Amino acid sequence: MKLSEAGGRRSYFLGKLIRYSLTLFLILSLNFSLPRMMPGDPVVNLLGDEALHNDPEMIEKLRAEFGLDRPMHIQYTDYLRSLSRLDLGYSIHKSHSVADLVAYRLFWTVVLVFPSIVIGALLALLLGSLAGFKSQSRSDLVLTGLALFLYTCPPFLLAMVLVSVFAFHLGLFPLGNLTSGGRTGVEYIADVAWHLFLPVVTLSLLGASYKFLVVRNSVVQLLEEQFVLAARAKGLREMEILTGHVIRNVLPPFISMVALSFGFMVSGALIVEIVFSLNGMGTLVYDAVVARDYPVMQGCFLVLTVSVLAANLIADILYGIADPRIGRTS
Amino acid sequence: MMILHDRKRIPYKVSPLRLTGWLILIFFLLLALLAPFIAPQDPCKTGTPYLPPSPDHLLGTNDIGQDILSELIYASRVSLAIGLLAGFMSIVIGVAVGLLAGYFRGWVEELLLAIGDLVLLIPGLPLMIILAAYLSPSMWNIILVVGLLWWCSTARVVHSRVLQLRNMPFVEAARALGCSDRYIILRHILVNAKEIVYAKFALAVASAMLTEASLSFIGLGDPLNISWGEMIHFAFSRGGFANDMWWWYLPPGLLICASVLGFVLISMEPNSRKFLEL
């Protein structure tokens, strides 16, 4: 019994690992093949529009240097080899190596995304279960209406409205940027927190809206179950039923939903950063799109997708450890 | 008995939320279709730039002096067309994958669902940004990019519905009568999954419109067919936002919200306290 359980668990993790490796392979291959297959000259697709300012001779030299005249499979192994050295190419537009650019920006995007995921998830769980518990009450209608509105709201619109109201008209928060500069220690951290307050609020609200609706629906559904009736018949208090019986059943799918929302949150963060002009991945992507700076775009795509993938993998492993049912044959 | 039970017609009651959704969508459809008659001016005609709202230009003018209200009305055509076509494309792919996976089981199912899972794991916006950046900026490429990447959740839902249906007595009866797989899938299974497909279509259009708005906001929109998201892009990048010209960026934003809300509302199950099932 004990042995087969361990085996089931192992095969669960193995299955996950295979799935993630395949996705990683898919992402790497996409990143490799897009500039080479898409319409346009691969030299431009790999180096950005500014490569064209060089004379034709130079372009041919670049073509040889990047091995674009060699067979695909050799190009592919070269590509993987340079990735293993964390070489993401060079941006002519920014005259900087892409890996350096991305490393600095990624930190700030993570600083923005993580608090937002946690706050958004807690907000959704708390308000969602309350709204579901008191469904059709006035507070439920208000909260659900609000969540539905936020759900339909494009990220940049919410960000723009919040900046306009709280920073521009009320002057409570800075209009953008990460710091006011010239501070150190605790003061610096407080300053950054003040600058990041509105972006985190925006992203938390966007992340919470959909999760709120799902939690509310599942609570409404669970309240109609027999075990809730039994708990009521036993004379448990309503709060005990909610926390001990209903939320316990909501939690496992909720945790995996939060884990799966990493991609959505990162996508939202890109947009929110652009509006707040924070120096994260979003502004980097935005500048790259405007300048058709393809190496930066590719680097960002690779780093963002791989980080989301890694976050999902960690969440899946934690979930597998936390849920005792996994690995048991039903 | 089972067959009778399944055929039983539930009296169709339109819930007030659904009705609201339909009214919103009819409004936008009329706006888009009758744009030349409603718009006060030619949206391409240029004049004095950056005018504030006035009786002549109810929502002012943009950076090249075009009437924003007329631009807004014409942009509804682009936004709705992209949303509907991309949603339709993703639904066609999703339903086909879901039907095939659910009906044939075995390795077909494994393969199709695995592909869906892989695509689902890649964060959508970064992938769409890089695809759209390599393709030339046109409405059709955006439809293609969004449509090709938004089918996975539809495939999952249709697949699980097909799994419920495929062993029901009426399907077995059809199989016993010697009907072909194609006939059973199209005439029996698809017909019984249609409620889900309609709801998913509405939600796919909503997602497609939001995604298109984000892509256009970043600057990957079609410069010849301005959508609501692209209007906000120009308001943001050409000084409308920095100068607090809310009449430029707020109306297109609210119209995106309203139309997405319309599609979300019509996807709701009637007589249900539930709101969304994505």
Side-chain angles (χ1 to χ4, degrees):
Chain A
M1 179 65 198
K2 204 85 203 186
L3 234 170
S4 78
E5 211 169 277
R9 193 168 275 265
R10 195 175 304 145
S11 72
Y12 166 83
F13 284 126
L14 205 66
K16 287 280 173 208
L17 216 59
I18 292 174
R19 212 181 110 187
Y20 280 99
S21 321
L22 273 176
T23 315
L24 183 66
F25 175 71
L26 188 73
I27 289 170
L28 293 179
S29 308
L30 257 176
N31 201 39
F32 169 79
S33 50
L34 278 179
R36 290 168 176 84
M37 310 290 176
M38 281 299 201
D41 188 340
V43 169
V44 177
N45 286 351
L46 274 172
L47 297 177
D49 262 358
E50 297 193 10
L52 276 185
H53 297 320
N54 294 312
D55 55 299
E57 213 173 295
M58 188 66 191
I59 290 178
E60 284 317 305
K61 239 169 114 185
L62 285 171
R63 204 183 296 277
E65 193 181 314
F66 279 81
L68 288 171
D69 44 5
R70 277 183 288 172
M72 277 295 165
H73 63 276
I74 295 182
Q75 286 188 44
Y76 193 68
T77 46
D78 278 353
Y79 159 78
L80 289 181
R81 204 170 296 147
S82 61
L83 272 189
S84 67
R85 290 193 311 259
L86 291 180
D87 177 7
L88 293 176
Y90 184 81
S91 162
I92 298 179
H93 177 67
K94 297 227 172 199
S95 12
H96 234 291
S97 92
V98 175
D100 285 349
L101 284 171
V102 167
Y104 170 72
R105 304 295 191 104
L106 187 64
F107 170 76
W108 287 110
T109 300
V110 171
V111 169
L112 171 62
V113 167
F114 263 92
S116 309
I117 287 181
V118 175
I119 296 171
L122 289 178
L123 215 63
L125 189 62
L126 199 75
L127 296 178
S129 36
L130 280 179
F133 202 60
K134 297 211 179 297
S135 72
Q136 305 301 309
S137 70
R138 186 170 300 169
S139 51
D140 170 42
L141 291 182
V142 170
L143 281 173
T144 308
L146 195 67
L148 211 54
F149 172 72
L150 288 174
Y151 175 70
T152 63
C153 190
F156 51 84
L157 184 70
L158 183 65
M160 285 166 98
V161 169
L162 288 181
V163 172
S164 178
V165 173
F166 290 101
F168 198 81
H169 285 286
L170 297 178
L172 294 175
F173 293 97
L175 285 167
N177 293 327
L178 283 163
T179 63
S180 324
R183 285 158 217 249
T184 46
V186 183
E187 239 179 282
Y188 173 76
I189 293 174
D191 186 51
V192 169
W194 183 56
H195 278 81
L196 281 178
F197 184 81
L198 276 185
V200 170
V201 166
T202 312
L203 203 53
S204 308
L205 285 176
L206 288 170
S209 61
Y210 171 63
K211 293 174 197 133
F212 168 89
L213 293 165
V214 175
V215 170
R216 180 196 171 275
N217 284 347
S218 6
V219 169
V220 168
Q221 229 167 9
L222 281 168
L223 281 175
E224 285 161 14
E225 295 279 336
Q226 296 289 327
F227 67 82
V228 175
L229 194 68
R232 284 221 174 93
K234 276 197 297 187
L236 291 185
R237 269 172 298 156
E238 290 293 289
M239 264 304 132
E240 285 172 339
I241 297 174
L242 182 62
T243 50
H245 293 266
V246 175
I247 292 186
R248 267 199 93 119
N249 277 288
V250 173
L251 268 183
F254 179 74
I255 291 170
S256 58
M257 178 171 70
V258 172
L260 270 178
S261 72
F262 283 138
F264 172 81
M265 294 299 272
V266 167
S267 302
L270 296 183
I271 305 279
V272 169
E273 274 173 14
I274 294 171
V275 176
F276 286 93
S277 46
L278 304 177
N279 256 335
M281 298 291 284
T283 37
L284 191 63
V285 171
Y286 185 69
D287 293 344
V289 167
V290 172
R292 297 281 155 192
D293 190 356
Y294 292 115
V296 171
M297 265 189 257
Q298 276 192 47
C300 290
F301 166 70
L302 196 69
V303 169
L304 285 173
T305 42
V306 171
S307 341
V308 168
L309 208 62
N312 275 332
L313 176 65
I314 293 169
D316 255 345
I317 289 175
L318 290 180
Y319 188 77
I321 294 170
D323 191 339
R325 286 170 301 185
I326 283 175
R328 257 183 233 164
T329 39
S330 50
Chain B
M1 270 322 279
M2 198 63 190
I3 298 173
L4 276 179
H5 176 75
D6 277 323
R7 285 271 174 86
K8 194 175 71 183
R9 276 234 174 265
I10 302 157
Y12 192 78
K13 250 178 41 192
V14 178
S15 68
L17 286 172
R18 254 195 172 176
L19 189 67
T20 319
W22 280 114
L23 289 178
I24 294 174
L25 291 186
I26 289 169
F27 168 77
F28 280 113
L29 214 61
L30 288 178
L31 193 70
L33 288 175
L34 303 177
F37 305 104
I38 301 170
Q41 298 186 18
D42 177 5
C44 297
K45 199 185 77 189
T46 55
T48 322
Y50 299 116
L51 284 179
S54 65
D56 269 351
H57 301 282
L58 285 176
L59 290 173
T61 57
N62 66 9
D63 57 312
I64 47 173
Q66 294 165 336
D67 182 50
I68 292 177
L69 179 62
S70 312
E71 197 186 13
L72 194 68
I73 293 169
Y74 272 91
S76 65
R77 293 180 156 188
V78 180
S79 287
L80 287 177
I82 294 179
L84 286 168
L85 290 173
F88 183 71
M89 193 172 147
S90 75
I91 247 7
V92 169
I93 302 175
V95 168
V97 169
L99 281 176
L100 292 177
Y103 189 78
F104 288 113
R105 313 293 312 263
W107 65 270
V108 180
E109 182 183 32
E110 296 275 330
L111 183 73
L112 289 175
L113 289 185
I115 294 174
D117 277 352
L118 291 190
V119 180
L120 212 57
L121 268 178
I122 303 176
L125 195 62
L127 181 56
M128 290 185 210
I129 288 175
I130 195 149
L131 281 173
Y134 277 122
L135 297 164
S136 58
S138 93
M139 203 174 127
W140 300 105
N141 284 336
I142 291 190
I143 292 170
L144 202 68
V145 166
V146 177
L148 277 177
L149 293 172
W150 221 263
W151 52 270
C152 312
S153 69
T154 310
R156 285 180 154 268
V157 180
V158 172
H159 169 251
S160 56
R161 177 76 181 133
V162 174
L163 285 188
Q164 281 174 1
L165 288 169
R166 73 188 298 278
N167 290 327
M168 282 202 175
F170 71 94
V171 175
E172 256 167 56
R175 214 173 282 143
L177 285 170
C179 299
S180 67
D181 286 337
R182 207 182 65 140
Y183 179 84
I184 296 174
I185 289 178
L186 292 180
R187 300 303 295 270
H188 291 286
I189 297 205
L190 187 57
V191 170
N192 278 290
K194 68 173 193 282
E195 292 283 305
I196 289 180
V197 175
Y198 292 157
K200 264 297 183 189
F201 175 62
L203 287 176
V205 176
S207 306
M209 289 187 72
L210 282 175
T211 313
E212 182 273 331
S214 286
L215 282 177
S216 295
F217 176 75
I218 293 177
L220 291 165
D222 186 343
L224 298 176
N225 296 295
I226 306 290
S227 68
W228 289 324
E230 221 172 343
M231 286 180 70
I232 301 176
H233 164 72
F234 285 120
F236 184 76
S237 62
R238 307 260 166 97
F241 179 58
N243 293 308
D244 197 29
M245 297 166 73
W246 54 265
W247 55 85
W248 190 356
Y249 65 82
L250 209 53
L254 291 177
L255 290 193
I256 295 174
C257 287
S259 48
V260 170
L261 185 67
F263 283 108
V264 170
L265 286 177
I266 61 163
S267 75
M268 286 178 187
E269 297 165 40
N271 315 322
S272 164
R273 283 192 282 169
K274 285 170 65 179
F275 271 95
L276 281 175
E277 193 73 72
L278 285 159

